[in-house]
Structure formats: structure tokens, C-alpha cells
Amino acid sequence: MSESAKLHDRRLRAVAQGVGSVTSSYVSHGRGATVVDVDGREWIDFASGIAVTSVGHADPRVVAAVQEQVARFAHTCFMVAPYESYVAVCEQLNALTPGTFEKRSALFNSGAEAVENAVKIARHVTGRPAVVVFDHAYHGRTNLTMALTSKAMPYKHRFGPFAPEVYRVPMSYPFRDGLDGLDGPAAAARAIDVICKQVGADNVAAVLIEPVQGEGGFIVPAPGFLPALAEWARGNGALFVADEIQTGFCRTGDWFACHDEGVEPDLVTTAKGIAGGMPLAAVTGRAEYMDAVHPGGLGGTYGGNPVACAAALATLETMRVLDLSAAARRIGTVLTSRLGALGLSGEVRGRGAMVAVEFVLPGSLVPDPGRTQAVARACLRDGLLVLTCGTYGNVLRLLPPLVITDAQLARGMAILEDALRATAG
Ligand code: PMP
């Protein structure tokens, strides 16, 4: 019996079934873009722990920073006895996020917690209840963020009732909107029409959107969609909130996906890639909004934990030193050109090193989750960690660490191409 099989056996008797795993190989260690399991098998990592380890596994700067910090102090609670690294992370977030206006940040533990706090702030500032979200959106698994998330199975199934005052409007989804010929501004007008008719402009606290949707299928909205929504929000007294939890920190080829069209959100939520694998999340936004909340209104025991903050500062340094935005663009070009050359039935899309294939049945837009799962299974069997996503379960997504070498990228792509050939027609 393999070491992984023994661990899996223990897991089945100890860990709740509701917590799934993509593979039943158990990890021993990782370095850069590879992971080694407890049986000594090496994997190329095209998942990055769901877009988290953008600086790679065991980045030397992150390891040193974490070790140094944990030996000094692991926790005081910033709300009890503050420390410099929390302030430094906020300073950097304020400088790096889109918009040159004055900003403030607050730190939390998880993406869902950051989104919840962005909604709290937007409601507090506007005195309004409604939050507008989009088809295919994913914002988390807590009660409020389940309501904000679109997909019922597995995220919401039998977990209701959900938080009120959440309204879902149509997304710009060029691959599927194409038949309507909807460009970005027209798709925004369609969404705004629903907001005005069904919610009422005066009731909207926040328009909350992932600038490139993650779990929903790596959906890149048509140009003009995000700017039109941001402008509508500003003109109607609502906050425009960008959830950059999956897209942030160089993943899309820039610090944030909103930079692409020069969109300046009022609030930005971040997590995942921010701290090289340590749990950390943030809300960053216009100073007048962030400072509007009374002292004590935001916080939490572990939010901005000093070890996570030390990891974040080291992560941001690595991103700057290695220019991981440029690396993301290079990786994206390799992935999309090699996938594009295969003539797959569906669409290859994404931005930077956030690349996906949406599989459909030939000559149609009918989702093909069967092939998607088969490709993912073949990759996992052959030593490549990949993930699927999409409302219809028919999207294969690739999120390699941005430090992946050319040779590792080529090896990963070769495994994927074999899987695609083996599952064709
Ligand atoms: N927002 C987005 C866009 C995400 O991709 C995720 C996680 N996949 C979340 C929120 C929730 O983050 P977490 O799992 O850290 O709560």
C-alpha cells in the first residue's frame, strides 16, 4: 500500500466528507513549480493551491521572513498590541492597487472574510442595503458570501437560508453572449437595466464583481463592461467593489486585473497570492470610505497576523525583484498559443497566467463537462496538477506558479497535450 493510500485511509475515518480534494496523493514538500508527494512522486503544479503560491513553493524570501517572524512573536492581535508589518502591508496595498487617490486598508484572514467586510463598509458608507453581483460569480462560502456566489452545487446546496439584499444580474460572457452580439457597453447596459428595474438605483450599496471571473470559468468580460459599471456606480452613489482575490498580485500580467482598462474601484478585496501561502486577506479602498467606519467596527483576532504579514512583505518583494507580472504574460503567451494550436472544440481564454479552456460539444455551445473531467483526470494521473471550474463544470483552468521555468512549463504542457489528444472525439 502506498504512503498516500495509507493516509487516505486515515483521512476517510478522520476528515469530514464535505471537504473534498482534487487528488488523493498526499504532499510531502514543494519547491518552485513542483510538488513531491509522500511516495516520492514529483508533480508539475498548474494549480498553485488555487492561485495562491504565485511566488512558488518554499520561496526563499518567504521562508526566511516567516522563520524570522515566528521566532520573534507569532501573535499579539493587531487590535490589542499593533506591530509594524501590518502597517507596511497596508502601505504597499494602498500604493499597488488601482487609483492614485488616498487609500486605507484593513487586513483579514480569508477571501470570504475580506468580501464580507467590503460589503459591511459599503453598507455603512451608503446607508443602503443592496449588493449587486453577477451570474457565474464566486465570492466565498460564508453565509453572506454564499449568497453572493452564483453556483448552487456544491457551494450552496441545502445551506440556506441565505443573507438578504443580494441581487444577481447578467455578466458579460463573450463566448456565450456572442450570439447576441453584445459588446462590453451593451452587456453593461443589460445589467444596469436589471439593477434599475429590480433593485432600484437608490438602494444599491455596492456593485461587486471579479474583473476576470475565477471559479465561474475564467470569464473575461468584453472591453468596456467594467468601466461602464464603475461609472454607473459612481454616478448613482454606490461603491464599485472589485474582488481581485483570484486575479490579484501579478496573476493576470499586472499587479491587478483592473489596471487593464484603467478601472479604479472604490474598494478592492485581495487574498490568495498576497502572502505566498500564508492566510491573509485585505480590503483596500478610498480613504474617505475606509475611514468612515467607527473604531472597533472592523477587525478580528487573527486578521493581519504578523507571520502572514511578514510572508506578504517577502512575497511582494519577490514579485517586484523577479518581475512576476512580466513572467505571467510570458507564461500566458506560451499556454494560449500551444492550446490555441490544438483546434479544441470550445474556447481558450484568460489573461496572463490565468488561462482556461472551455470545452463544448463540437459545433455547439453545449458544455462538455465529461471531457473536461477526463482531461483533468488524465493530467493528474500523469503528474500534472490542474483544476476545473465553470458554472457548467466544463472549464479546465491553468494557474501555474509565476516562477515556473520554461522547461517545467513545457513538461506540464506536454502532459496536458497528451491528455487532450487521448480524450479527443
Ligand atoms: N473571491 C474570489 C474571486 C475567489 O476566487 C475566492 C476563492 N476561490 C474567494 C473570494 C474566497 O476566498 P477564500 O476561499 O479565501 O475565502
Side-chain angles (χ1 to χ4, degrees):
M1 202 184 202
S2 71
E3 294 305 311
S4 277
K6 286 184 211 161
L7 284 173
H8 201 63
D9 200 49
R10 274 172 58 196
R11 175 220 182 106
L12 292 178
R13 281 176 284 115
V15 180
Q17 292 282 330
V19 185
S21 296
V22 167
T23 144
S24 48
S25 289
Y26 285 70
V27 177
S28 161
H29 56 278
R31 185 156 303 270
T34 58
V35 171
V36 176
D37 74 14
V38 288
D39 295 298
R41 197 162 166 232
E42 189 178 272
W43 300 69
I44 304 268
D45 187 357
F46 273 16
S48 299
I50 322 186
V52 171
T53 50
S54 296
V55 292
H57 299 283
D59 174 65
R61 285 183 194 82
V62 174
V63 171
V66 165
Q67 287 175 336
E68 196 275 331
Q69 179 58 49
V70 81
R72 270 198 303 133
F73 65 96
H75 179 80
T76 55
C77 185
F78 192 75
M79 300 185 306
V80 175
Y83 38 88
E84 195 238 344
S85 57
Y86 187 117
V87 179
V89 170
C90 292
E91 286 169 346
Q92 295 212 26
L93 287 170
N94 298 347
L96 292 171
T97 48
T100 50
F101 42 82
E102 177 112 7
K103 295 179 210 139
R104 304 281 186 268
S105 291
L107 303 183
F108 304 97
N109 301 292
S110 68
E113 203 189 344
V115 173
E116 291 240 3
N117 277 280
V119 171
K120 278 169 64 173
I121 293 162
R123 285 179 169 155
H124 188 97
V125 166
T126 60
R128 301 170 172 186
V131 181
V132 171
V133 290
F134 291 79
D135 279 338
H136 314 289
Y138 183 91
H139 298 291
R141 294 172 180 268
T142 58
N143 187 262
L144 173 57
T145 58
M146 270 195 296
L148 302 170
T149 288
S150 160
K151 193 172 173 176
M153 195 64 180
Y155 307 123
K156 304 166 76 160
H157 179 62
R158 294 174 67 103
F159 294 143
F162 303 110
E165 290 299 329
V166 173
Y167 300 90
R168 194 168 308 286
V169 302
M171 179 64 185
S172 164
Y173 191 161
F175 182 59
R176 293 186 177 279
D177 284 344
L179 298 176
D180 305 328
L182 271 189
D183 62 11
R190 175 177 68 176
I192 289 164
D193 187 57
V194 176
I195 299 171
C196 293
K197 297 263 165 45
Q198 297 183 20
V199 190
D202 292 348
N203 298 315
V204 179
V207 175
L208 167 65
I209 190 164
E210 301 153 84
V212 176
Q213 287 185 322
E215 306 301 312
F218 282 22
I219 300 164
V220 186
F225 183 68
L226 295 173
L229 289 172
E231 193 186 318
W232 181 87
R234 203 145 302 138
N236 287 276
L239 271 57
F240 184 73
V241 184
D243 181 346
E244 293 248 19
I245 285 165
Q246 191 151 164
T247 48
F249 303 106
C250 306
R251 175 55 57 186
T252 63
D254 207 331
W255 279 107
F256 294 96
C258 278
H259 286 305
D260 186 64
E261 289 192 87
V263 171
E264 297 184 346
D266 298 303
L267 304 178
V268 181
T269 56
T270 54
K272 290 190 183 281
I274 189 176
M278 296 297 288
L280 187 69
V283 180
T284 301
R286 289 181 187 274
E288 64 268 32
Y289 297 155
M290 295 295 294
D291 279 341
V293 177
H294 48 279
L298 305 174
T301 303
Y302 292 113
N305 168 272
V307 183
C309 285
L313 295 172
T315 297
L316 296 171
E317 173 74 3
T318 291
M319 287 174 171
R320 258 191 291 269
V321 170
L322 301 183
D323 193 0
L324 292 188
S325 286
R329 293 194 292 273
R330 271 198 314 276
I331 293 165
T333 303
V334 171
L335 293 176
T336 47
S337 62
R338 282 183 71 159
L339 288 166
L342 298 175
L344 300 166
S345 171
E347 186 181 49
V348 177
R349 62 169 177 257
R351 189 182 297 156
M354 185 172 178
V355 173
V357 185
E358 174 164 0
F359 291 98
V360 293
L361 298 177
S364 76
L365 286 179
V366 178
D368 190 355
R371 176 151 194 223
T372 314
Q373 293 306 323
V375 171
R377 268 197 309 274
C379 289
L380 294 170
R381 184 196 61 209
D382 295 340
L384 178 68
L385 270 176
V386 291
L387 301 170
T388 60
C389 63
T391 296
Y392 313 108
N394 66 328
V395 180
L396 184 80
R397 60 171 152 169
L398 310 178
L399 293 160
L402 306 178
V403 295
I404 194 166
T405 65
D406 291 347
Q408 290 166 334
L409 191 60
R411 230 165 80 214
M413 268 311 297
I415 295 172
L416 175 55
E417 282 161 354
D418 282 348
L420 288 165
R421 274 188 220 103
T423 56

